[in-house]
Amino acid sequence: MSVVKVSDLSKSYVDGDSRIDVLRGVVLKLDAGESMAITGPSGSGKSTLLNILAGTIPVDAGEILFRFDGDKLAWHSATERVKTRVRRRHIGYVHQFFNLIPTLTVLENVTLPAHLNKRRHLQDRAGELLTRFGLGHRLDVFPETLSGGEQQRVAVARALVCQPALLLADEPTGNLDAVNSAQVAELLFATARESGAALIVATHNEQVANQAQHHLHLRSIEGAQL
């Protein structure tokens, strides 16, 4: 059963008197537990596509359909209030630059989405994820004391804590060395698969892309930029 289905998606920006096409005619479909790598050169629209799927950027044309908890949702026509609610409950997002809150401990960072969703019973899951990710002994420390690879593992745990149906990851290994990239990618794909989340990863890393079941390669449209 499809978690997300995108048909003929297009996005452009206006710069003065010019229109800059970023995405044109994008089609994708992903079922629960499946993974997809989005690849392409810088400026081809990888991050833009993820942000559209997250509901933070509107589309110009095309259709985006989600199925969460058995209910269908037309994302492209949903209100901002609905998008916010759905994003909090059903969509996890892993950023390239971690985006951890420096004044919260590791455990507090991971449990924050559960608190925002009033699902505090998931605190035990946060500890379990961090332990699995090799950080069970670092629950009470602050992000600044962690290495880059450790911070990204915290970010992945935070994105997974609410058991999202859709997990989006934007260059999740872009700031990591080869060893940490491999570790983070393995945890990301394995945990998403086990939890039944549909995973979409935008990446320049060939080793990361090769772990995905499906691939979508974006080409730069002449004159396009991000």
Side-chain angles (χ1 to χ4, degrees):
M1 183 177 296
S2 297
V3 172
V4 57
K5 182 178 180 181
V6 174
S7 303
D8 202 24
L9 185 93
S10 296
K11 177 63 182 177
S12 63
Y13 295 100
V14 175
D15 183 11
D17 295 329
S18 302
R19 190 186 75 175
I20 302 170
D21 291 318
V22 180
L23 298 169
R24 184 186 299 158
V26 174
V27 175
L28 68 85
K29 179 181 177 183
L30 205 59
D31 293 344
E34 290 187 330
S35 58
M36 174 178 287
I38 300 177
T39 59
S42 296
S44 59
K46 298 186 298 298
S47 295
T48 298
L49 179 55
L50 286 192
N51 284 321
I52 287 171
L53 293 174
T56 58
I57 294 179
V59 298
D60 297 336
E63 186 175 67
I64 306 169
L65 297 177
F66 288 132
R67 187 187 293 272
F68 298 132
D69 293 339
D71 296 325
K72 288 184 178 180
L73 173 67
W75 197 233
H76 53 284
S77 60
T79 66
E80 290 304 317
R81 184 174 182 179
V82 168
K83 287 181 179 180
T84 298
R85 184 175 69 248
V86 170
R87 189 162 45 237
R88 283 184 175 181
R89 185 170 182 84
H90 298 293
I91 300 176
Y93 205 116
V94 181
H95 300 268
Q96 178 178 354
F97 297 103
F98 319 141
N99 283 6
L100 301 179
I101 299 175
T103 56
L104 298 181
T105 66
V106 165
L107 183 60
E108 289 169 342
N109 266 281
V110 176
T111 57
L112 182 59
H115 285 290
L116 292 174
N117 280 296
K118 299 181 180 179
R119 302 172 70 189
R120 299 188 179 186
H121 62 284
L122 291 175
Q123 181 158 332
D124 288 343
R125 173 172 166 78
E128 291 166 2
L129 284 169
L130 287 166
T131 297
R132 177 179 177 178
F133 291 4
L135 295 168
H137 62 301
R138 310 298 302 276
L139 302 183
D140 297 323
V141 304
F142 292 96
E144 65 180 10
T145 68
L146 303 179
S147 68
E150 289 172 330
Q151 289 189 58
Q152 192 60 303
R153 279 181 267 162
V154 174
V156 172
R158 180 182 58 189
L160 286 163
V161 72
C162 285
Q163 300 173 308
L166 177 63
L167 183 61
L168 306 172
D170 190 4
E171 295 287 357
T173 64
N175 288 322
L176 305 179
D177 58 34
V179 172
N180 278 302
S181 291
Q183 291 176 344
V184 167
E186 182 179 354
L187 287 169
L188 181 64
F189 279 92
T191 311
R193 184 170 57 249
E194 292 166 12
S195 67
L199 170 63
I200 300 179
V201 181
T203 184
H204 286 288
N205 188 311
E206 183 177 346
Q207 286 71 37
V208 174
N210 286 340
Q211 295 188 49
Q213 296 166 286
H214 307 283
H215 291 79
L216 174 64
H217 184 76
L218 300 178
R219 294 178 296 176
S220 295
I221 301 173
E222 186 176 353
Q225 63 184 39
L226 289 181

